[in-house]
Amino acid sequence: MAGTAVFKANNGFGVTKINEGYHPLRHRIARNLSMQHPKQRSFGSCEKAYYTGLLASKKQVTHPRFVQKCKAEVAEAADSILLNNAPVEEEEEREAGEELSRSTLIWRAAKLPMYTVALIPALVGSAAAFQQSGQFSLWRFLVSLASFVIVNVWVNLSNDVYDFDTGADKDKKESVVNLFGSRELINNIAWSLLVIGFSGICCVAAAAASGRSVILSAFAAFCFFLYQCPPFRLSYFGVGEPLLMLAYGPLSTIAFYLLQSRTSELPISGTVVWSSLLIGFTTALILFCSHFHQISGDRAVEKMSPLVRLGTDKGSKVVKFGIVGLYSLVLALGFFQALPLPSVILGFMTLPVANLVVGFVEKNHKDKSKIFMSKYLSVRLHTVFGAALAVGLVITRILAPAAAKLVL
């Protein structure tokens, strides 16, 4: 909305209208500040005029130049509060949340875009198996993927349950527990889904005669448990990113790779290990970016996420250098032939999405009303980057006969 907002400033001698360029949150803060009792505010000249009222005439105080000066000081104070994430900003965010429909909140609670963290390890692991052996079983892929998605539903639901217990989700309207009002029911559903999902993975592992895939999947589930469940709750100590990098990276991706075995287990190659580490990194980036708009809530319950420790300014630099490191590693892996050339080329074609993430975070890391979108941009990067790696691995296998002829 564009235009000019008008609010009233009480300068101690009367009410004066001040015009200010419209910014919804800034205007609200400025209005609240200007309407405070003069003894409760400290705006330099405005306050001084009140306490020297016996010497200053009403005409002087209401002079246009003085009003303009008060206007600037109120605006400056409002900007300061806006940039420092004051409680007024949180109040505005809560009011905005109250206007959301229940269907919108349920959509947010479902977190459907986030389930790419289950899809991408399955794609890359299965593509690596095809690149290694030419083997691919569609039914194993679909059943194991569906089972892993169910496990991820357990992760999300139990996370809501335990964040509800600690109070971290007290004001989070899209929390499943807050939406449906039954902590015990959600908790029971969550743990039932873990049993169902893990059982599905075990069935596929039995068909593939792969005991190691079951062990890796069990360790991945244990990492999820350490991440959010009592008595550990390691995410509250700021180590959630390494845990999820390990769980969704090497543990899950290599497990999906082994689930494509036929008569005997596939050998674990350097290509699948390095590919899994890259996928783990982009998954950890999603979690890191999800903390930007939750700093005040995390700090209130002593959840020491990396952004609580670093602040948004340093956090934005971590995102930038992390993405630079990601693509530098891809280039190095291609140079040393640890990653096939098609995967390297296609991986670098995702750079525009990576630049979008970096630019958005650098520009909006102090704006809580916008920065939450960085999580979804990171999901987009994770998805296209993982798909690029997987397609590159498949192309490598398809082109292998032609490449062998050229060598001969």
Side-chain angles (χ1 to χ4, degrees):
M1 181 185 298
T4 303
V6 179
F7 60 89
K8 297 179 180 180
N10 189 334
N11 57 27
F13 293 91
V15 175
T16 304
K17 290 184 179 180
I18 299 176
N19 294 323
E20 180 66 358
Y22 186 80
H23 180 294
L25 182 53
R26 183 174 180 271
H27 168 61
R28 179 180 176 81
I29 297 171
R31 183 186 63 192
N32 289 344
L33 290 173
S34 64
M35 293 299 290
Q36 290 178 12
H37 191 280
K39 291 184 180 180
Q40 296 176 331
R41 52 186 166 87
S42 179
F43 298 146
S45 301
C46 298
E47 182 184 46
K48 184 178 180 181
Y50 175 74
Y51 286 109
T52 58
L54 294 176
L55 300 177
S57 67
K58 182 177 179 180
K59 180 178 179 181
Q60 176 188 356
V61 174
T62 58
H63 191 277
R65 289 185 181 177
F66 182 85
V67 171
Q68 195 69 20
K69 194 169 185 180
C70 283
K71 167 188 169 182
E73 290 174 355
V74 169
E76 182 180 356
D79 287 341
S80 175
I81 290 176
L82 181 62
L83 294 177
N84 287 284
N85 298 320
V88 178
E89 181 179 2
E90 296 172 7
E91 178 185 350
E92 185 77 13
E93 187 178 52
R94 288 196 297 270
E95 290 184 357
E98 290 172 359
E99 296 173 359
L100 296 175
S101 66
R102 183 175 177 83
S103 60
T104 300
L105 292 174
I106 292 174
W107 170 258
R108 288 189 177 184
K111 303 175 183 176
L112 294 182
M114 303 300 290
Y115 287 97
T116 58
V117 298
L119 172 64
I120 295 304
L123 278 178
V124 173
S126 300
F130 179 77
Q131 186 262 338
Q132 175 75 25
S133 64
Q135 300 173 7
F136 176 74
S137 171
L138 180 60
W139 81 265
R140 289 187 197 176
F141 172 79
L142 293 176
V143 173
S144 57
L145 173 59
S147 300
F148 194 43
V149 167
I150 292 172
V151 170
N152 275 265
V153 177
W154 161 71
V155 173
N156 288 330
L157 291 181
S158 60
N159 183 63
D160 277 7
V161 168
Y162 297 123
D163 277 350
F164 174 83
D165 290 345
T166 62
D169 281 357
K170 179 181 178 182
D171 298 318
K172 186 179 178 182
K173 296 187 179 301
E174 64 268 29
S175 163
V176 176
V177 179
N178 289 337
L179 276 171
F180 297 99
S182 177
R183 186 260 186 209
E184 291 304 320
L185 175 62
I186 300 301
N187 189 47
N188 291 336
I189 291 174
W191 285 95
S192 298
L193 290 173
L194 173 62
V195 174
I196 294 170
F198 195 77
S199 298
I201 293 173
C202 290
C203 289
V204 178
S210 174
R212 285 185 295 177
S213 63
V214 176
I215 295 172
L216 291 172
S217 299
F219 273 112
F222 186 61
C223 285
F224 298 143
F225 182 84
L226 293 175
Y227 169 74
Q228 62 194 17
C229 300
F232 302 102
R233 288 195 178 104
L234 295 187
S235 62
Y236 280 67
F237 298 94
V239 294
E241 281 73 10
L243 277 174
L244 293 194
M245 179 176 178
L246 179 62
Y248 286 106
L251 294 178
S252 296
T253 305
I254 296 175
F256 277 107
Y257 168 82
L258 294 173
L259 289 173
Q260 289 293 325
S261 302
R262 291 290 178 93
T263 56
S264 61
E265 280 192 326
L266 291 169
I268 298 177
S269 63
T271 298
V272 68
V273 171
W274 283 113
S275 297
S276 70
L277 288 171
L278 294 173
I279 295 307
F281 180 86
T282 56
T283 306
L285 180 65
I286 297 172
L287 178 61
F288 186 87
C289 288
S290 71
H291 295 308
F292 273 103
H293 71 291
Q294 297 178 331
I295 292 177
S296 57
D298 288 345
R299 187 182 288 118
V301 296
E302 298 182 350
K303 184 177 181 179
M304 302 306 294
S305 71
L307 268 298
V308 170
R309 298 177 186 273
L310 295 173
T312 62
D313 188 51
K314 291 181 179 178
S316 67
K317 292 180 173 61
V318 169
V319 171
K320 179 178 181 178
F321 291 124
I323 289 180
V324 170
L326 172 67
Y327 286 91
S328 299
L329 180 58
V330 170
L331 185 62
L333 292 174
F335 180 80
F336 291 105
Q337 298 183 346
L339 200 64
L341 183 60
S343 291
V344 174
I345 295 173
L346 292 175
F348 267 90
M349 289 177 67
T350 66
L351 265 173
V353 183
N355 288 333
L356 180 63
V357 175
V358 172
F360 185 85
V361 171
E362 284 186 333
K363 181 180 179 181
N364 300 294
H365 65 87
K366 292 183 180 180
D367 189 342
K368 286 177 62 177
S369 65
K370 294 181 179 179
I371 193 58
F372 80 95
M373 282 299 299
S374 64
K375 173 175 63 176
Y376 296 104
L377 293 176
S378 299
V379 170
R380 188 182 303 177
L381 173 61
H382 171 72
T383 304
V384 298
F385 182 81
L389 288 184
V391 172
L393 291 168
V394 172
I395 291 174
T396 300
R397 179 69 188 190
I398 293 174
L399 297 180
K405 290 180 181 179
L406 287 176
V407 172
L408 293 176

